[in-house]
Amino acid sequence: MIVFWRLFLALFLTDFVFFHRSIHRIQQKSRLQAMAIRSVTFAILALAFCHRYLTHPWPFLEEFTLPGWVCIILFALFHGFTDYYYQFGGKVKGGYTLTFFIKNTINVLFLVLMAPFKTLYETGNFFAEPWVVFLVGVVLATRVLGWFIFAVEQDKYGREYPTFDEQWLLALVRAVFFLIMLLPGLRWAVVFVVWMGTCIYARRIRLIDVPRWAFLVGAFGAAFIGLLVRLRLYLVG
């Protein structure tokens, strides 16, 4: 599982952290160019994260084995393919949300069929490396949740690409909810209530200007992800 979680982190960093307004603009002009940028970005991150396992045999699609670096390159090409062809926004009802779920599900399933799960035996632990699990949690709570909310808003309101301030201010709010859940003991409960009250007030005075459902999904979604990471950090040896 060491390799799987590192690949998972590389995938979500590529799609939800390094994908920003400039790449979005490129995508509007040339989807092929945007596809190439995504593929190269993932390949660089994955090769860096998995450098110790690149020459090991990986069970590519459970059919045959290939060196790890070859599997990463093949997946990078597949990842670019899904970004190019799996685009349903504006074509069907709920198309942006559908794109979000289908693209990510297909890519994660591909990783499952490619990762060398025998590394589980090296650690005896499904969530082997706490630092990787923590970083995955941060990305999920801050950026992935944000893009999910944005996809739903595109379908509901037809809104434009969010501004830089909007993206990162709300990501910071969710990051605090996530980190609160990692506090030792039961002090997280008190801090959670205080931070929730602060955010509700900020939303009332429109410092946080988002619909109620978006705020609640972001807050409780980030807290739930933080809870899962907390279980790994405190309960798993």
Side-chain angles (χ1 to χ4, degrees):
M1 297 306 295
I2 290 175
V3 173
F4 172 77
W5 286 113
R6 291 187 180 202
L7 292 172
F8 189 94
L9 179 60
L11 173 65
F12 280 74
L13 282 174
T14 299
D15 278 0
F16 299 104
V17 176
F18 293 103
F19 185 89
H20 46 76
R21 182 178 288 274
S22 60
I23 306 299
H24 179 72
R25 289 171 179 165
I26 292 174
Q27 189 176 48
Q28 302 305 307
K29 297 178 181 178
S30 173
R31 289 171 61 187
L32 280 174
Q33 186 178 356
M35 176 185 74
I37 292 173
R38 280 184 186 262
S39 296
V40 171
T41 302
F42 170 82
I44 292 173
L45 290 174
L47 290 170
F49 291 165
C50 302
H51 64 279
R52 290 187 296 174
Y53 305 95
L54 297 181
T55 58
H56 292 193
W58 292 15
F60 188 74
L61 300 182
E62 301 294 336
E63 293 294 332
F64 46 87
T65 59
L66 293 171
W69 66 270
V70 176
C71 292
I72 287 175
I73 297 301
L74 292 175
F75 177 81
L77 295 174
F78 174 80
H79 178 51
F81 170 85
T82 60
D83 182 60
Y84 188 89
Y85 286 100
Y86 287 86
Q87 297 288 342
F88 307 107
K91 300 176 183 179
V92 298
K93 185 177 181 180
Y96 291 103
T97 306
L98 188 64
T99 298
F100 177 89
F101 281 110
I102 289 181
K103 283 176 54 180
N104 288 301
T105 299
I106 289 176
N107 280 287
V108 171
L109 287 176
F110 197 115
L111 291 185
V112 170
L113 294 175
M114 183 182 77
F117 282 95
K118 69 179 182 180
T119 54
L120 174 64
Y121 302 120
E122 298 177 9
T123 62
N125 192 328
F126 185 81
F127 300 103
E129 298 175 298
W131 70 271
V132 175
V133 174
F134 172 78
L135 290 178
V136 167
V138 171
V139 174
L140 289 175
T142 57
R143 302 295 291 155
V144 178
L145 267 177
W147 278 105
F148 165 70
I149 292 170
F150 173 54
V152 175
E153 288 182 326
Q154 282 182 297
D155 289 325
K156 289 174 65 69
Y157 315 123
R159 62 160 301 170
E160 296 296 325
Y161 195 89
T163 64
F164 179 87
D165 290 345
E166 180 183 6
Q167 286 187 73
W168 292 102
L169 173 62
L170 296 176
L172 178 61
V173 170
R174 292 190 295 270
V176 174
F177 277 109
F178 169 81
L179 293 173
I180 284 172
M181 303 306 295
L182 305 184
L183 293 174
L186 294 176
R187 68 188 67 177
W188 64 267
V190 175
V191 180
F192 180 89
V193 171
V194 172
W195 181 242
M196 176 63 79
T198 302
C199 291
I200 290 174
Y201 175 74
R203 182 175 174 272
R204 182 174 300 172
I205 64 175
R206 302 186 73 83
L207 180 61
I208 300 177
D209 190 14
V210 294
R212 178 182 299 177
W213 70 267
F215 168 71
L216 293 176
V217 168
F220 286 103
F224 178 71
I225 294 169
L227 175 62
L228 296 179
V229 174
R230 177 189 181 87
L231 294 177
R232 168 60 185 93
L233 298 181
Y234 288 101
L235 300 182
V236 179

